[in-house]
Amino acid sequence: MSQHNISTVAHLIAEPVRAVILITLADNCARAASALAEVAGVTAQTASSHLAKLLDGGLLKVEAKGRHRYYTLAGPHVARVLESLASVGPVSQAWRTAPNSSARELRFARCCYDHLAGQIGVAVTRGMIEHAYLVQRDEYAYELTPRGKSWLQKLGADASEPFADRVEHANRCLDWTERQYHIAGALGAYLMNVFRSNGWMTRFHKTRALTVTPAGWEALRQQLGIERNDELDAQAKFDTLPLTKYRDTA
């Protein structure tokens, strides 16, 4: 990558309004320009100008549906850049103990483009490794084991999916709030889809945050040994019980 490309992309991301737009779209959901203008706190005309620059810079793509145009990130590579940038520098104790409920919710569990991130994302990754469903292949990737494929089948997932036979089906993504790795790539996306389709996790309206359902807590305990503990506090507003911590049941 040339120095020019790096500086161009960095300039696009650095502008505060554009940064908000990109982060808002990091859940892989399409949004209209009006919705992005609202979340960024700018006029429709200003948002349109920023969106045009992000499109020209290759960070966004747009799809027309009737009279409306809907914007998404250009791909998971853009989400990885945003997550990587967010992970640069220390996470202060102020962030970890933030009284803001939105911050706690995002730290607990969130969509990182198309895969699960946050404390629960890290716990799921650790659980899969401890149960020998997943191994670290190299610095950048995990690999699903034969035992892991069998486990996916028990969850109702189709382990014959093409991603299971691809070399890079499970990227290691550094979680910017936890400073530990969670699963990205095709396997990460597939897992989140399975968790949501099984009713174990639901998404907060118009946010990246996810919540674990009662059935999800039981499934996480049985499948991966993730037990409730008050270290994870993001769901306190929904559940008066202590939340979770990873526990190995193997």
Side-chain angles (χ1 to χ4, degrees):
M1 179 182 292
S2 70
Q3 182 177 352
H4 172 73
N5 286 343
I6 293 174
S7 61
T8 299
V9 171
H11 173 73
L12 287 170
I13 296 174
E15 202 287 325
V17 171
R18 293 196 289 268
V20 170
I21 289 172
L22 291 168
I23 292 169
T24 300
L25 293 172
D27 59 1
N28 196 27
C29 289
R31 290 177 176 82
S34 57
L36 294 170
E38 181 180 356
V39 75
V42 297
T43 65
Q45 183 177 3
T46 299
S48 179
S49 174
H50 286 298
L51 288 168
K53 292 177 181 178
L54 291 169
L55 284 169
D56 290 342
L59 298 181
L60 295 184
K61 59 185 179 181
V62 63
E63 181 179 358
K65 293 184 178 181
R67 295 181 300 169
H68 300 284
R69 288 158 58 88
Y70 293 90
Y71 297 84
T72 58
L73 294 186
H77 61 290
V78 179
R80 287 197 294 270
V81 168
L82 297 173
E83 195 84 358
S84 296
L85 286 174
S87 68
V88 174
V91 174
S92 68
Q93 188 62 23
W95 166 261
R96 294 192 179 278
T97 59
N100 182 282
S101 61
S102 296
R104 292 199 308 270
E105 289 158 6
L106 285 174
R107 185 189 175 202
F108 170 73
R110 65 184 179 274
C111 301
C112 178
Y113 190 70
D114 57 2
H115 60 271
L116 178 64
Q119 292 169 300
I120 291 296
V122 169
V124 166
T125 302
R126 290 172 56 194
M128 290 181 66
I129 291 172
E130 290 293 332
H131 286 73
Y133 302 151
L134 192 73
V135 293
Q136 183 176 335
R137 184 166 58 83
D138 54 37
E139 183 180 356
Y140 305 103
Y142 295 112
E143 184 173 341
L144 190 67
T145 66
R147 184 174 177 179
K149 293 180 182 180
S150 297
W151 174 68
L152 285 183
Q153 288 179 319
K154 292 177 182 177
L155 296 185
D158 183 2
S160 66
E161 280 286 309
F163 74 77
D165 297 321
R166 296 208 303 263
V167 174
E168 295 192 8
H169 59 262
N171 299 324
R172 300 181 75 220
C173 184
L174 181 61
D175 197 291
W176 68 270
T177 61
E178 305 311 298
R179 293 301 197 272
Q180 299 180 62
Y181 288 93
H182 59 247
I183 306 167
L187 176 59
Y190 198 61
L191 282 171
M192 190 167 74
N193 286 337
V194 169
F195 292 163
R196 293 180 65 184
S197 64
N198 285 353
W200 297 351
M201 296 182 186
T202 58
R203 182 176 167 185
F204 291 124
H205 182 57
K206 295 183 178 180
T207 76
R208 298 173 61 196
L210 297 166
T211 183
V212 179
T213 65
W217 284 119
E218 181 62 20
L220 290 174
R221 182 187 69 80
Q222 291 183 357
Q223 299 292 334
L224 296 171
I226 299 174
E227 292 281 3
R228 293 190 166 205
N229 183 284
D230 58 6
E231 282 190 19
L232 303 188
D233 61 359
Q235 278 189 276
K237 62 186 287 189
F238 304 99
D239 192 340
T240 57
L241 294 175
L243 296 182
T244 66
K245 182 180 179 181
Y246 172 80
R247 178 175 67 82
D248 181 19
T249 57

